[in-house]
Amino acid sequence: MKGDMARHSVPAQPPEERIKNFREVALGFTPELALAEAERCLNCKNAPCMKGCPVGVHIPEFISHVRSGELDKAAKVLLSDNNLPAICGRVCPQENQCEKLCVRREKLGGSVAIGALERYVADYAADKGIAFHAAEKKNARVAVVGTGPASLSCAADLAKAGVNVVMFEALHKAGGVLVYGIPEFRLPKALVQREIDKVAALGAEIRTNTVVGKTLMLDELLAEYDAVFIGTGAGLPSFLHVPGENLTGVLSANEFLTRVNLMKAYEDGAVTPVIRGRNVAVVGAGNVAMDAARTARRLGAEVTLVYRRSRAEMPARAEEIEHAEEEGIKFELLTNPVEILGENGAVTGMKCVRMELGEPDASGRRRPVPVEGSEFTVDCDEVIVALGTTPNPILKRSFPALETTPKGTIMADEEGRTSVPRLYAGGDAMTGAATVILAMGAGKRSAHAIIEELKSSGKL
């Protein structure tokens, strides 16, 4: 056993270069690095890593094929379980999932870089044209609302089983959070389109510019289709609710990232531009906050990230925090905004108070408590609020029979069954804002349940 072999790092653009462009930061493994990293896998019989994968990828199996140079076989194993492997290999928090359970993690040089190997194999499969295979289409028809990761995963598995799938997207481009929420430098949009095209190639039809709950109603879909899956995500932003929040120059991370990512506002002469602050304050410390801060930095701003807890409580991925620091993002920790300051209707600064950590709250994290007399001002001309999101209430308002929680998330069981027969839901619309891979797992579970229902009814 090669227990002293250290984990191989993924090559990346140098910080001083990448803050000037929107090209992908992580460059991916070379064939030599992929082989060396694959050789670190111990091919454990009980495969603890698989227990951490929400979509059940046969991790040791695909890595063993990489080790033996059988990349076509590795690709087929990966694609049999994961409908969006090139995306997962880039944005999934593997350190909290499959890699967290790797036997090598603590004392054997660090976890195997499963995510980086997944990306390597997925990109190889795309270059070689290795794709999914669908069964012959039957009479069953299923509508999928949304085109984000939960919906794409659900639609792919349904189409593979021979179901006729129609996907409905509110925006002009499919992909959901993959195209409007995650920056180009973390997830290139051409790659996302490539993954969407693979789902479409299975026979899934995608109809854009269709707002279910406005231009098309859920009861109409239920009347026309054998089942409906809702994967509309959580796109309604939360705000600070402090004085000055209506000033020009205050915007949600959702709006900021959507303009830059989907509308390409980083390009000169963009049709849908975005405010470019010189000194930008980003409030929050999750992955979306890091995305917003790093995007603003690439647009030429000096950026300060404000968070009311300490570094140990920051919910963003360690990799994203490290990249933000490398790129010159300033962290103001144990700091909470109490007012946004302005002149002539525009932002001029943000009044903050220092915090200290008290007793743990319901989340298990120590509750931040204001320090009396510690007020100070962060100079800024733009404030981006990244405090989480909830599902858009359009569907609930237009279809009261759909039961939701007080937070607006759809009530459903483990397989996505809602309070309405033949209506399923999954992803952030059901759980609230979470990760791409968890949404994909929910989409796969609902697809399986829908397929079983269609079989039992004789429609498949």
Side-chain angles (χ1 to χ4, degrees), residues 165-186:
V165 180
V166 180
M167 307 183 74
F168 297 91
E169 169 57 49
L171 298 178
H172 66 282
K173 196 170 184 63
V177 70
L178 302 173
V179 296
Y180 70 71
I182 303 176
E184 179 78 9
F185 56 83
R186 280 217 297 135

Side-chain angles (χ1 to χ4, degrees), residues 1-6 39-40 42 104 108-109:
M1 181 174 70
K2 300 177 182 179
D4 59 346
M5 288 177 61
E39 287 177 343
R40 296 183 65 243
L42 303 176
R104 299 195 76 117
L108 298 173

